[in-house]
Structure formats: structure tokens, C-alpha cells
Amino acid sequence: MPIKSVLIAGAVIILALGAACSSSGAGGREVTIVQKDDGCAPASIAVKPGEKLKLVVQNESGKDYEIEGIDGTKFEELVVPSGKTRTPGYTVPDGGGTHKLKCYIPDGPSTVIELQAL
């Protein structure tokens, strides 16, 4: 098989694996979270139980940021390098309540973002 065909086949396999491993919430409503040197915004986001979200996490600070679920919120830690944007998916659990994301620079500012499921 020619090298070009092998490279194309490899790229197709990688794309298929990426689609199979996508985060929950993929394809949902876009919600932007902005990371700045002094913290993250917004502090609260209105969501619906069971809603799929595409979090657009923009790091506009001069340092790497992290975001993760806390207090029982199942959202794996994600590092967002300075100047980069990451777009993880998240599905709001069924039932009402508040789900919390901690957005922080290690040993620096920290913000808790509340996802308020009504």
C-alpha cells in the first residue's frame, strides 16, 4: 500500500476513535467559560436536567488553568493552556440541583462555577 494511502487510512482510524471516545454532552448547547488572570466567568449558568452542553473554555490568562468537577459533580480535570480553548462536553445529571465546576490556576486564583439545574 502506498505511503499516502497508509497515512489517509491512519487519519480515518484516529478520527473514528476520537468520535467514539467523545465526552458526554457532545453536540449540545454551547456555553462559554472565560479564564482570566483573576478568575473565571460566569459564576453561574442556568441549565436543564439532562441537558447536553458543549463547554467552550477559553484561557485568556498568562498561565495554564484547570477546570474540574467538585462536590460530586462528575467532570474530569481538564488543563487549558494559556491562550488556548478547549471544548469538552458535559451532560447535566437528571433531576434539579446545583452542579459545581472549580476553575483555577494551581496555587493561584480559584472560581467555583455553579450549573443551576432548574
Side-chain angles (χ1 to χ4, degrees), residues 83-94:
K84 301 291 182 182
T85 298
R86 298 288 183 255
T87 55
Y90 179 73
T91 300
V92 179
D94 290 331

Side-chain angles (χ1 to χ4, degrees), residues 54-66:
K54 177 181 179 184
L55 302 177
V56 180
V57 186
Q58 302 171 341
N59 186 343
E60 296 178 359
S61 79
K63 297 187 177 184
D64 293 350
Y65 251 96
E66 297 181 25

Side-chain angles (χ1 to χ4, degrees), residues 27-115:
R29 173 172 63 113
E30 284 193 16
V31 174
T32 300
I33 296 172
V34 179
Q35 301 167 318
K36 297 196 178 240
D37 290 323
D38 59 349
C40 301
S44 180
I45 301 167
V47 298
K48 296 177 184 172
E51 182 177 13
K52 293 180 183 233
L53 303 174
K54 177 181 179 184
L55 302 177
V56 180
V57 186
Q58 302 171 341
N59 186 343
E60 296 178 359
S61 79
K63 297 187 177 184
D64 293 350
Y65 251 96
E66 297 181 25
I67 186 167
E68 65 185 346
I70 60 169
D71 296 342
T73 300
K74 299 197 183 311
F75 183 82
E76 292 292 320
E77 180 181 76
L78 175 71
V79 175
V80 184
S82 176
K84 301 291 182 182
T85 298
R86 298 288 183 255
T87 55
Y90 179 73
T91 300
V92 179
D94 290 331
T98 300
H99 310 280
K100 296 179 181 181
L101 301 175
K102 180 180 177 185
C103 185
Y104 63 100
I105 295 173
D107 298 321
S110 176
T111 305
V112 174
I113 299 169
E114 294 185 344
L115 305 175

